[in-house]
Amino acid sequence: LESEMEQPIHAIQKVSDSMPAFGIVAAVMGVVHTMESMGIPPEQLGGLIAKAMVGTFLGVLLGYGFTAPLAVLLEHKMNASVKVLNAVRVIL
């Protein structure tokens, strides 16, 4: 039961670990798009650079701000359930 309960936790942890990488990919794609547009005025270039940085921010925020705490929460709930089951096992 414990190994079955750990599977979704490990999957969410892997997603959490990969989200910053998606942010980096978004930043690189934004920089490439910005480099393609080098002839435009600086005000517009600033907007393109900002969009690239938003991708990085979202990747880090989703990874460390949402999915990692969710995995920890699920792990704590699993540990609580396992403790109850272990107590029942010892009593029986």
Coordinates of all heavy atoms in Angstrom, one line a residue:
L1 N 0.8 -1.2 0.0 CA 0.0 0.0 0.0 C 0.9 1.3 0.0 O 0.6 2.2 -0.7 CB -0.9 0.0 1.2 CG -1.8 1.2 1.3 CD1 -2.8 1.3 0.2 CD2 -2.5 1.2 2.7
E2 N 1.9 1.2 0.8 CA 2.8 2.4 0.9 C 3.5 2.7 -0.5 O 3.5 3.8 -0.9 CB 3.9 2.2 2.0 CG 4.7 3.4 2.3 CD 5.6 3.2 3.5 OE1 5.6 2.1 4.1 OE2 6.4 4.1 3.7
S3 N 3.9 1.7 -1.2 CA 4.6 1.9 -2.5 C 3.6 2.4 -3.5 O 3.9 3.2 -4.3 CB 5.2 0.6 -3.0 OG 4.3 -0.4 -3.2
E4 N 2.3 1.9 -3.4 CA 1.3 2.5 -4.3 C 1.0 3.9 -4.0 O 0.7 4.7 -4.9 CB 0.0 1.6 -4.1 CG 0.0 0.3 -4.8 CD -1.2 -0.5 -4.6 OE1 -2.3 0.1 -4.1 OE2 -1.2 -1.7 -4.8
M5 N 1.0 4.3 -2.7 CA 0.7 5.7 -2.3 C 1.8 6.6 -2.7 O 1.6 7.8 -2.9 CB 0.4 5.7 -0.8 CG -0.9 5.1 -0.4 SD -1.2 5.0 1.3 CE -1.6 6.7 1.7
E6 N 3.1 6.1 -2.8 CA 4.2 6.9 -3.2 C 4.3 7.2 -4.6 O 4.9 8.2 -5.0 CB 5.5 6.2 -2.7 CG 5.7 6.2 -1.3 CD 7.0 5.4 -0.9 OE1 7.5 4.6 -1.7 OE2 7.5 5.6 0.3
Q7 N 3.7 6.4 -5.5 CA 3.8 6.7 -6.9 C 3.3 8.0 -7.4 O 4.0 8.7 -8.1 CB 3.0 5.6 -7.7 CG 3.7 4.2 -7.6 CD 3.0 3.1 -8.3 OE1 1.8 3.3 -8.8 NE2 3.6 1.9 -8.4
P8 N 2.1 8.5 -7.0 CA 1.7 9.9 -7.4 C 2.6 10.9 -6.8 O 2.9 12.0 -7.5 CB 0.3 10.0 -6.9 CG -0.1 8.8 -6.2 CD 1.0 7.8 -6.3
I9 N 3.1 10.7 -5.6 CA 4.0 11.7 -5.0 C 5.3 11.8 -5.8 O 5.8 12.9 -6.1 CB 4.3 11.3 -3.5 CG1 3.1 11.3 -2.7 CG2 5.4 12.2 -2.9 CD1 3.2 10.7 -1.3
H10 N 5.9 10.7 -6.2 CA 7.1 10.7 -7.0 C 6.8 11.4 -8.4 O 7.7 12.1 -8.9 CB 7.7 9.3 -7.2 CG 8.2 8.7 -6.0 ND1 9.2 9.3 -5.2 CD2 7.9 7.6 -5.3 CE1 9.5 8.6 -4.2 NE2 8.7 7.5 -4.2
A11 N 5.7 11.1 -9.0 CA 5.3 11.8 -10.3 C 5.2 13.3 -10.1 O 5.8 14.0 -10.9 CB 4.0 11.2 -10.8
I12 N 4.6 13.7 -9.0 CA 4.5 15.2 -8.8 C 5.8 15.8 -8.5 O 6.1 16.9 -9.0 CB 3.4 15.5 -7.7 CG1 2.0 15.1 -8.2 CG2 3.5 16.9 -7.3 CD1 1.0 15.1 -7.1
Q13 N 6.7 15.1 -7.8 CA 8.0 15.6 -7.5 C 8.8 15.7 -8.8 O 9.6 16.7 -9.0 CB 8.8 14.7 -6.6 CG 8.3 14.8 -5.1 CD 8.9 13.8 -4.2 OE1 9.4 12.8 -4.6 NE2 8.9 14.1 -2.9
K14 N 8.7 14.8 -9.7 CA 9.4 14.9 -11.0 C 8.9 16.1 -11.8 O 9.7 16.8 -12.5 CB 9.2 13.6 -11.8 CG 10.1 12.5 -11.3 CD 10.0 11.2 -12.1 CE 10.8 10.1 -11.5 NZ 10.8 8.9 -12.2
V15 N 7.6 16.3 -11.8 CA 7.0 17.5 -12.5 C 7.6 18.7 -11.9 O 8.0 19.7 -12.6 CB 5.5 17.5 -12.5 CG1 4.9 18.8 -12.9 CG2 4.9 16.3 -13.3
S16 N 7.6 18.8 -10.6 CA 8.1 19.9 -9.8 C 9.6 20.2 -10.2 O 10.0 21.3 -10.4 CB 8.0 19.7 -8.3 OG 8.6 20.7 -7.6
D17 N 10.4 19.1 -10.3 CA 11.8 19.3 -10.7 C 12.0 19.8 -12.1 O 13.0 20.4 -12.4 CB 12.5 18.0 -10.5 CG 12.6 17.6 -9.0 OD1 12.5 18.5 -8.1 OD2 12.9 16.4 -8.7
S18 N 11.0 19.4 -13.0 CA 11.2 19.8 -14.4 C 10.6 21.2 -14.7 O 11.0 21.7 -15.8 CB 10.5 18.8 -15.3 OG 9.1 18.8 -15.1
M19 N 9.8 21.7 -13.9 CA 9.2 23.0 -14.2 C 10.2 24.2 -14.4 O 10.0 25.0 -15.3 CB 8.1 23.4 -13.2 CG 6.9 22.6 -13.2 SD 6.1 22.4 -14.8 CE 5.5 24.1 -15.0
P20 N 11.2 24.3 -13.6 CA 12.2 25.4 -13.8 C 12.9 25.2 -15.2 O 13.2 26.2 -15.9 CB 13.2 25.2 -12.7 CG 12.4 24.7 -11.6 CD 11.4 23.7 -12.3
A21 N 13.1 24.0 -15.6 CA 13.6 23.7 -17.0 C 12.7 24.2 -18.1 O 13.2 24.8 -19.1 CB 13.9 22.3 -17.2
F22 N 11.4 24.1 -17.9 CA 10.5 24.6 -18.8 C 10.6 26.1 -18.9 O 10.4 26.8 -19.9 CB 9.0 24.2 -18.5 CG 8.7 22.8 -19.0 CD1 8.4 21.8 -18.0 CD2 8.8 22.4 -20.3 CE1 8.1 20.5 -18.4 CE2 8.5 21.1 -20.7 CZ 8.1 20.2 -19.7
G23 N 10.8 26.7 -17.7 CA 10.9 28.2 -17.6 C 12.2 28.6 -18.4 O 12.2 29.7 -19.0
I24 N 13.3 27.9 -18.3 CA 14.5 28.2 -19.0 C 14.3 28.1 -20.5 O 14.7 29.0 -21.3 CB 15.6 27.3 -18.5 CG1 16.0 27.7 -17.1 CG2 16.9 27.5 -19.4 CD1 17.0 26.7 -16.4
V25 N 13.6 27.1 -20.9 CA 13.2 26.9 -22.3 C 12.4 28.1 -22.8 O 12.7 28.6 -23.9 CB 12.5 25.6 -22.6 CG1 12.0 25.5 -24.0 CG2 13.5 24.4 -22.3
A26 N 11.4 28.5 -22.0 CA 10.6 29.7 -22.4 C 11.5 30.9 -22.5 O 11.3 31.7 -23.4 CB 9.5 29.9 -21.4
A27 N 12.4 31.1 -21.6 CA 13.3 32.3 -21.6 C 14.2 32.2 -22.9 O 14.4 33.3 -23.6 CB 14.2 32.3 -20.4
V28 N 14.7 31.1 -23.2 CA 15.6 31.0 -24.4 C 14.8 31.2 -25.7 O 15.2 32.0 -26.6 CB 16.2 29.6 -24.5 CG1 16.9 29.3 -25.8 CG2 17.3 29.4 -23.4
M29 N 13.5 30.7 -25.7 CA 12.7 31.0 -26.9 C 12.4 32.5 -27.0 O 12.3 33.0 -28.1 CB 11.4 30.1 -26.8 CG 11.7 28.7 -27.1 SD 10.2 27.6 -26.8 CE 9.1 28.3 -28.0
G30 N 12.1 33.1 -25.8 CA 11.9 34.5 -25.8 C 13.1 35.3 -26.3 O 12.9 36.3 -27.0
V31 N 14.3 34.9 -25.9 CA 15.5 35.6 -26.3 C 15.7 35.5 -27.8 O 16.1 36.4 -28.5 CB 16.7 35.1 -25.5 CG1 18.0 35.6 -26.1 CG2 16.6 35.6 -24.0
V32 N 15.5 34.3 -28.3 CA 15.6 34.0 -29.7 C 14.6 34.9 -30.5 O 15.0 35.6 -31.5 CB 15.4 32.5 -30.1 CG1 15.2 32.3 -31.6 CG2 16.5 31.7 -29.5
H33 N 13.4 35.0 -30.0 CA 12.4 35.9 -30.7 C 12.8 37.3 -30.6 O 12.7 38.1 -31.6 CB 11.0 35.7 -30.0 CG 9.9 36.5 -30.6 ND1 9.5 36.4 -32.0 CD2 9.2 37.5 -30.1 CE1 8.6 37.2 -32.2 NE2 8.3 37.9 -31.1
T34 N 13.4 37.7 -29.5 CA 13.9 39.1 -29.3 C 15.0 39.4 -30.3 O 15.1 40.4 -30.9 CB 14.3 39.3 -27.9 OG1 13.2 39.1 -27.0 CG2 14.8 40.7 -27.7
M35 N 15.9 38.4 -30.4 CA 17.1 38.6 -31.3 C 16.6 38.7 -32.8 O 17.3 39.4 -33.6 CB 18.1 37.4 -31.2 CG 18.7 37.4 -29.8 SD 19.5 38.9 -29.3 CE 21.1 38.7 -30.1
E36 N 15.5 38.0 -33.1 CA 15.0 38.1 -34.5 C 14.5 39.5 -34.7 O 14.4 40.0 -35.9 CB 13.9 37.1 -34.7 CG 14.3 35.7 -34.7 CD 13.1 34.8 -34.8 OE1 11.9 35.2 -34.6 OE2 13.3 33.6 -35.1
S37 N 14.1 40.3 -33.7 CA 13.4 41.6 -33.8 C 14.4 42.7 -33.4 O 13.9 43.7 -32.9 CB 12.2 41.6 -32.9 OG 11.4 40.5 -33.1
M38 N 15.6 42.6 -33.7 CA 16.6 43.6 -33.3 C 16.4 44.9 -33.9 O 16.9 45.9 -33.4 CB 18.0 43.1 -33.5 CG 18.5 42.0 -32.5 SD 18.3 42.5 -30.8 CE 19.6 43.7 -30.6
G39 N 15.7 45.0 -35.0 CA 15.6 46.3 -35.7 C 14.4 47.2 -35.1 O 14.3 48.3 -35.6
I40 N 13.7 46.7 -34.2 CA 12.5 47.5 -33.7 C 13.0 48.4 -32.6 O 14.1 48.2 -32.0 CB 11.4 46.5 -33.2 CG1 11.9 45.7 -32.0 CG2 10.9 45.6 -34.3 CD1 10.7 44.8 -31.4
P41 N 12.2 49.4 -32.2 CA 12.5 50.4 -31.2 C 12.8 49.7 -29.8 O 12.2 48.6 -29.5 CB 11.3 51.3 -31.1 CG 10.6 51.1 -32.4 CD 10.9 49.7 -32.9
P42 N 13.6 50.3 -29.0 CA 13.9 49.7 -27.7 C 12.7 49.5 -26.8 O 12.7 48.6 -26.0 CB 14.8 50.8 -27.0 CG 15.4 51.6 -28.1 CD 14.4 51.5 -29.2
E43 N 11.7 50.3 -26.9 CA 10.5 50.2 -26.1 C 9.8 48.8 -26.4 O 9.3 48.1 -25.5 CB 9.4 51.3 -26.3 CG 9.9 52.7 -25.9 CD 10.8 53.3 -27.0 OE1 10.8 52.9 -28.1 OE2 11.5 54.2 -26.6
Q44 N 9.8 48.4 -27.6 CA 9.2 47.2 -28.0 C 10.1 46.0 -27.7 O 9.6 44.9 -27.3 CB 8.9 47.2 -29.5 CG 7.7 48.1 -29.9 CD 7.5 48.2 -31.4 OE1 8.3 47.7 -32.2 NE2 6.3 48.7 -31.7
L45 N 11.4 46.2 -27.8 CA 12.4 45.2 -27.3 C 12.2 44.9 -25.9 O 12.3 43.7 -25.4 CB 13.8 45.6 -27.6 CG 14.3 45.4 -29.1 CD1 15.7 45.9 -29.2 CD2 14.2 44.0 -29.5
G46 N 12.0 45.9 -25.1 CA 11.8 45.7 -23.6 C 10.6 44.8 -23.3 O 10.7 44.0 -22.4
G47 N 9.5 45.0 -24.1 CA 8.4 44.1 -23.9 C 8.7 42.7 -24.3 O 8.2 41.7 -23.6
L48 N 9.5 42.4 -25.3 CA 9.8 41.1 -25.7 C 10.7 40.4 -24.6 O 10.6 39.2 -24.3 CB 10.5 41.1 -27.1 CG 9.7 41.5 -28.3 CD1 10.5 41.6 -29.5 CD2 8.5 40.5 -28.5
I49 N 11.6 41.2 -24.1 CA 12.5 40.7 -23.1 C 11.7 40.4 -21.8 O 11.9 39.4 -21.1 CB 13.7 41.7 -22.8 CG1 14.6 41.8 -24.0 CG2 14.5 41.3 -21.5 CD1 15.6 42.9 -23.9
A50 N 10.7 41.2 -21.5 CA 9.9 41.0 -20.3 C 9.1 39.7 -20.5 O 8.9 38.9 -19.5 CB 8.9 42.2 -20.1
K51 N 8.6 39.4 -21.7 CA 7.9 38.2 -21.9 C 8.8 37.0 -21.7 O 8.3 35.9 -21.2 CB 7.3 38.2 -23.3 CG 6.1 39.1 -23.5 CD 5.7 39.1 -25.0 CE 4.6 40.2 -25.1 NZ 4.1 40.3 -26.5
A52 N 10.0 37.1 -22.1 CA 11.0 36.0 -21.9 C 11.2 35.7 -20.4 O 11.2 34.6 -20.0 CB 12.3 36.3 -22.6
M53 N 11.3 36.8 -19.7 CA 11.5 36.6 -18.2 C 10.3 36.1 -17.5 O 10.4 35.4 -16.5 CB 11.9 38.0 -17.6 CG 13.3 38.5 -18.1 SD 14.6 37.3 -17.7 CE 15.0 36.6 -19.3
V54 N 9.1 36.4 -18.0 CA 7.9 35.9 -17.4 C 7.8 34.4 -17.5 O 7.4 33.7 -16.6 CB 6.6 36.6 -18.1 CG1 5.3 35.8 -17.7 CG2 6.5 38.0 -17.6
G55 N 8.3 33.9 -18.7 CA 8.4 32.4 -18.8 C 9.2 31.8 -17.8 O 8.9 30.7 -17.2
T56 N 10.4 32.4 -17.5 CA 11.3 31.9 -16.5 C 10.6 31.9 -15.1 O 10.6 31.0 -14.3 CB 12.6 32.7 -16.4 OG1 13.2 32.7 -17.7 CG2 13.5 32.1 -15.4
F57 N 10.0 33.1 -14.8 CA 9.3 33.3 -13.5 C 8.2 32.2 -13.3 O 8.1 31.6 -12.3 CB 8.7 34.7 -13.5 CG 7.8 34.9 -12.3 CD1 8.4 35.0 -11.0 CD2 6.5 35.0 -12.4 CE1 7.6 35.2 -9.9 CE2 5.6 35.2 -11.3 CZ 6.2 35.3 -10.1
L58 N 7.4 32.0 -14.4 CA 6.3 31.0 -14.3 C 6.8 29.6 -14.0 O 6.3 28.9 -13.2 CB 5.4 31.1 -15.5 CG 4.5 32.3 -15.6 CD1 3.7 32.2 -16.9 CD2 3.5 32.3 -14.4
G59 N 7.9 29.3 -14.7 CA 8.5 27.9 -14.5 C 8.9 27.7 -13.1 O 8.7 26.7 -12.5
V60 N 9.6 28.7 -12.5 CA 10.1 28.6 -11.2 C 8.9 28.7 -10.2 O 8.9 27.9 -9.2 CB 11.1 29.7 -10.9 CG1 11.5 29.8 -9.4 CG2 12.4 29.5 -11.7
L61 N 8.0 29.5 -10.4 CA 6.9 29.7 -9.5 C 6.0 28.4 -9.5 O 5.7 27.9 -8.4 CB 6.0 30.8 -9.9 CG 4.7 31.0 -9.1 CD1 5.1 31.5 -7.7 CD2 3.8 32.0 -9.7
L62 N 5.7 27.8 -10.6 CA 4.9 26.6 -10.7 C 5.7 25.4 -10.1 O 5.1 24.6 -9.4 CB 4.5 26.3 -12.1 CG 3.5 27.2 -12.7 CD1 3.3 26.9 -14.2 CD2 2.2 27.2 -12.0
G63 N 7.0 25.4 -10.3 CA 7.8 24.3 -9.8 C 8.0 24.3 -8.3 O 7.7 23.4 -7.6
Y64 N 8.4 25.5 -7.8 CA 8.7 25.6 -6.4 C 7.6 26.2 -5.5 O 7.6 26.0 -4.3 CB 10.0 26.4 -6.2 CG 11.2 25.9 -6.8 CD1 12.0 26.6 -7.6 CD2 11.6 24.5 -6.6 CE1 13.1 26.1 -8.2 CE2 12.7 24.0 -7.2 CZ 13.5 24.8 -8.0 OH 14.6 24.2 -8.6
G65 N 6.6 26.8 -6.2 CA 5.6 27.4 -5.4 C 4.3 26.6 -5.3 O 3.5 26.8 -4.4
F66 N 4.1 25.7 -6.3 CA 2.9 24.9 -6.3 C 3.1 23.4 -6.3 O 2.6 22.7 -5.4 CB 2.0 25.3 -7.5 CG 1.5 26.7 -7.5 CD1 2.0 27.7 -8.3 CD2 0.4 27.0 -6.6 CE1 1.5 29.0 -8.2 CE2 -0.1 28.3 -6.5 CZ 0.5 29.3 -7.3
T67 N 3.8 22.9 -7.2 CA 3.9 21.4 -7.3 C 4.8 20.8 -6.2 O 4.5 19.7 -5.7 CB 4.4 21.0 -8.7 OG1 5.6 21.6 -9.0 CG2 3.4 21.3 -9.8
A68 N 5.9 21.5 -5.8 CA 6.7 20.9 -4.8 C 6.0 20.9 -3.4 O 6.0 19.9 -2.7 CB 8.0 21.7 -4.7
P69 N 5.3 22.0 -3.0 CA 4.5 21.9 -1.8 C 3.4 20.9 -1.9 O 3.1 20.3 -0.8 CB 4.0 23.3 -1.6 CG 4.9 24.2 -2.4 CD 5.4 23.4 -3.5
L70 N 2.8 20.7 -3.0 CA 1.8 19.7 -3.2 C 2.3 18.3 -2.9 O 1.7 17.5 -2.2 CB 1.1 19.8 -4.6 CG 0.1 18.7 -4.9 CD1 -1.1 18.9 -4.0 CD2 -0.4 18.8 -6.4
A71 N 3.5 18.0 -3.5 CA 4.1 16.7 -3.2 C 4.4 16.5 -1.8 O 4.2 15.4 -1.2 CB 5.4 16.6 -4.1
V72 N 4.9 17.5 -1.1 CA 5.2 17.4 0.3 C 3.9 17.2 1.1 O 3.9 16.4 2.1 CB 5.9 18.7 0.8 CG1 6.0 18.7 2.4 CG2 7.3 18.8 0.2
L73 N 2.9 17.9 0.8 CA 1.6 17.7 1.5 C 1.1 16.3 1.3 O 0.6 15.6 2.3 CB 0.5 18.7 0.9 CG -0.9 18.5 1.5 CD1 -0.9 18.9 2.9 CD2 -1.8 19.3 0.6
L74 N 1.2 15.7 0.1 CA 0.7 14.4 -0.2 C 1.6 13.4 0.6 O 1.1 12.4 1.1 CB 0.8 14.1 -1.7 CG -0.3 14.8 -2.5 CD1 -0.1 14.4 -4.0 CD2 -1.7 14.3 -2.1
E75 N 2.9 13.7 0.7 CA 3.8 12.8 1.5 C 3.4 12.8 3.0 O 3.4 11.7 3.6 CB 5.2 13.2 1.3 CG 6.2 12.3 1.9 CD 7.6 12.6 1.5 OE1 7.9 13.8 1.0 OE2 8.5 11.8 1.7
H76 N 3.1 13.9 3.5 CA 2.7 14.0 4.9 C 1.4 13.2 5.1 O 1.2 12.5 6.1 CB 2.5 15.4 5.4 CG 3.8 16.2 5.5 ND1 4.9 15.7 6.1 CD2 4.2 17.4 5.1 CE1 5.9 16.6 6.1 NE2 5.5 17.6 5.5
K77 N 0.4 13.4 4.2 CA -0.8 12.7 4.4 C -0.6 11.1 4.2 O -1.2 10.4 5.0 CB -1.8 13.1 3.3 CG -2.4 14.5 3.6 CD -3.5 14.9 2.7 CE -4.0 16.3 3.1 NZ -5.4 16.4 3.0
M78 N 0.3 10.7 3.3 CA 0.6 9.3 3.2 C 1.2 8.8 4.5 O 0.8 7.7 5.0 CB 1.5 9.1 2.0 CG 1.9 7.6 1.8 SD 3.4 7.3 1.0 CE 4.6 7.9 2.1
N79 N 2.2 9.5 5.0 CA 2.8 9.1 6.3 C 1.8 9.0 7.4 O 1.9 8.0 8.2 CB 3.9 10.1 6.7 CG 5.1 9.9 5.7 OD1 5.3 8.9 5.1 ND2 5.9 11.0 5.6
A80 N 0.9 9.9 7.5 CA -0.2 9.8 8.5 C -1.0 8.6 8.4 O -1.3 7.9 9.3 CB -1.0 11.1 8.5
S81 N -1.4 8.3 7.1 CA -2.2 7.1 6.9 C -1.4 5.8 7.2 O -2.0 4.8 7.7 CB -2.6 7.0 5.4 OG -3.4 8.1 5.1
V82 N -0.1 5.8 6.8 CA 0.7 4.6 7.1 C 0.9 4.4 8.6 O 0.8 3.3 9.1 CB 2.0 4.7 6.4 CG1 3.0 3.7 6.8 CG2 1.8 4.6 4.9
K83 N 1.0 5.5 9.3 CA 1.1 5.4 10.8 C -0.1 4.7 11.4 O 0.0 3.9 12.3 CB 1.4 6.7 11.4 CG 2.8 7.2 11.3 CD 2.9 8.6 11.9 CE 4.3 9.2 11.7 NZ 4.5 10.5 12.3
V84 N -1.3 5.1 10.9 CA -2.5 4.5 11.5 C -2.6 3.1 11.1 O -2.9 2.2 12.0 CB -3.7 5.3 10.9 CG1 -5.0 4.5 11.2 CG2 -3.8 6.7 11.4
L85 N -2.2 2.7 9.9 CA -2.3 1.3 9.5 C -1.2 0.5 10.3 O -1.5 -0.7 10.7 CB -2.0 1.2 8.0 CG -3.2 1.7 7.1 CD1 -2.8 1.6 5.7 CD2 -4.5 0.9 7.4
N86 N -0.1 1.1 10.6 CA 1.0 0.4 11.3 C 0.5 0.2 12.8 O 0.7 -0.9 13.4 CB 2.3 1.1 11.3 CG 3.0 0.9 10.0 OD1 2.9 -0.2 9.4 ND2 3.9 1.8 9.7
A87 N -0.2 1.1 13.3 CA -0.8 1.0 14.7 C -1.8 -0.1 14.7 O -1.8 -0.9 15.7 CB -1.4 2.3 15.1
V88 N -2.7 -0.2 13.7 CA -3.7 -1.3 13.7 C -3.0 -2.6 13.5 O -3.3 -3.6 14.2 CB -4.6 -1.0 12.5 CG1 -5.5 -2.2 12.2 CG2 -5.5 0.2 12.7
R89 N -1.9 -2.7 12.7 CA -1.2 -3.9 12.5 C -0.5 -4.4 13.9 O -0.6 -5.6 14.2 CB -0.1 -3.7 11.5 CG 0.7 -5.0 11.2 CD 1.8 -4.7 10.2 NE 2.6 -3.6 10.7 CZ 4.0 -3.7 10.7 NH1 4.6 -4.7 10.3 NH2 4.7 -2.7 11.2
V90 N 0.1 -3.4 14.6 CA 0.7 -3.8 15.9 C -0.4 -4.3 16.9 O -0.2 -5.2 17.6 CB 1.5 -2.6 16.4 CG1 1.9 -2.8 17.9 CG2 2.7 -2.3 15.5
I91 N -1.5 -3.6 16.9 CA -2.6 -4.0 17.8 C -3.1 -5.4 17.5 O -3.3 -6.2 18.4 CB -3.7 -2.9 17.8 CG1 -3.2 -1.6 18.5 CG2 -4.9 -3.5 18.6 CD1 -4.2 -0.5 18.3
L92 N -3.3 -5.7 16.2 CA -3.8 -7.0 15.9 C -2.8 -8.0 16.1 O -3.0 -9.2 16.4 CB -4.3 -7.0 14.4 CG -5.5 -6.1 14.1 CD1 -5.8 -6.1 12.6 CD2 -6.7 -6.6 14.9

